[in-house]
Amino acid sequence: MAQAPSSTPLQDGPPAVGSKLQEIRKAQKLSLDELSKRAGVSKSMLSEVERNQANPTVGVLWRLASALGLSLSDLLAGGNADKASPTVELVPAHSIPVTTSPDGKCTLRILGPIALAGKVEWYELAVEPGGVLASEPHEAGAREHLSVLSGTLTVQAAESSKVLKPGDSARYAADVQHCIRNPGKGLAKAVLVVEHLG
């Protein structure tokens, strides 16, 4: 079962779910096209994930697992199941998944483990001047906690709005429309924690 050399570096990074994903897809007799449509994930992204040539976001993995009738932990259980968990698990900086907002001005590094997705998630957020990270309401009771490390950020949840400077933290309802924007002239950095109470 030879793998392409390009997939080797992922051995020390995040779980290489590609081979397990492909194995489950084939066991369920689904084509790439069928799983792509069912999960709402592009065929090219799905193909890259199966070949371990992409670091999928938590959202993409969740959609794929759901489309296959699995939980995220089921999908991630392969490959490393027989290995004892190390006391300290290192996740190298280069292997931390990154997602970008539609305007291209907000970058989220996904710091939390995939196993906690849907419970508590945390991110390193970088917002360029004028950047806006707008979100639709999460599930009832969800909250976000934003701590600014550098620059200035404005947080709006429903009709309430606050300006945060370095060292400030905001805690707000995330089950309403909410957004984070950078009104300043320089890059702003923050830690964002999303708390799901479902």
Side-chain angles (χ1 to χ4, degrees):
M1 182 169 126
Q3 291 272 346
S6 60
S7 66
T8 306
L10 288 177
Q11 301 299 326
D12 296 324
V17 298
S19 53
K20 174 144 189 167
L21 179 63
Q22 187 177 60
E23 179 185 318
I24 294 168
R25 175 177 63 76
K26 287 184 174 175
Q28 294 189 14
K29 297 183 170 44
L30 291 171
S31 67
L32 272 173
D33 197 46
E34 287 168 327
L35 180 56
S36 164
K37 286 175 184 167
R38 189 187 285 187
V41 173
S42 74
K43 191 173 172 182
S44 60
M45 168 58 88
L46 178 55
S47 176
E48 285 182 12
V49 170
E50 284 198 354
R51 289 179 283 127
N52 294 321
Q53 291 180 348
N55 275 338
T57 65
V58 172
V60 166
L61 285 174
W62 181 84
R63 288 198 298 272
L64 289 169
S66 296
L68 292 167
L70 305 170
S71 69
L72 268 176
S73 53
D74 290 335
L75 185 58
L76 296 172
N80 297 328
D82 298 332
K83 295 182 185 174
S85 295
T87 305
V88 176
E89 178 186 355
L90 173 67
V91 181
H94 71 270
S95 65
I96 290 176
V98 176
T99 185
T100 306
S101 63
D103 68 2
K105 293 186 174 184
C106 305
T107 304
L108 287 159
R109 296 180 74 233
I110 303 169
L111 303 178
I114 289 171
L116 289 180
K119 295 176 188 170
V120 62
E121 300 159 14
W122 59 100
Y123 306 88
E124 179 186 283
L125 173 64
V127 187
E128 293 176 23
V132 178
L133 183 65
S135 300
E136 290 298 314
H138 301 322
E139 75 282 357
R143 293 185 62 77
E144 289 187 357
H145 309 269
L146 181 74
S147 298
V148 175
L149 304 174
S150 63
T152 302
L153 289 172
T154 300
V155 174
Q156 182 169 356
E159 303 304 314
S160 179
S161 177
K162 297 288 181 192
V163 176
L164 286 76
K165 295 189 171 150
D168 291 344
S169 289
R171 308 186 195 294
Y172 50 94
D175 55 3
V176 294
Q177 282 195 326
H178 53 287
C179 73
I180 300 166
R181 68 181 70 240
N182 180 352
K185 295 183 178 176
L187 181 70
K189 288 194 171 184
V191 174
L192 174 64
V193 176
V194 183
E195 180 186 6
H196 302 274
L197 300 177

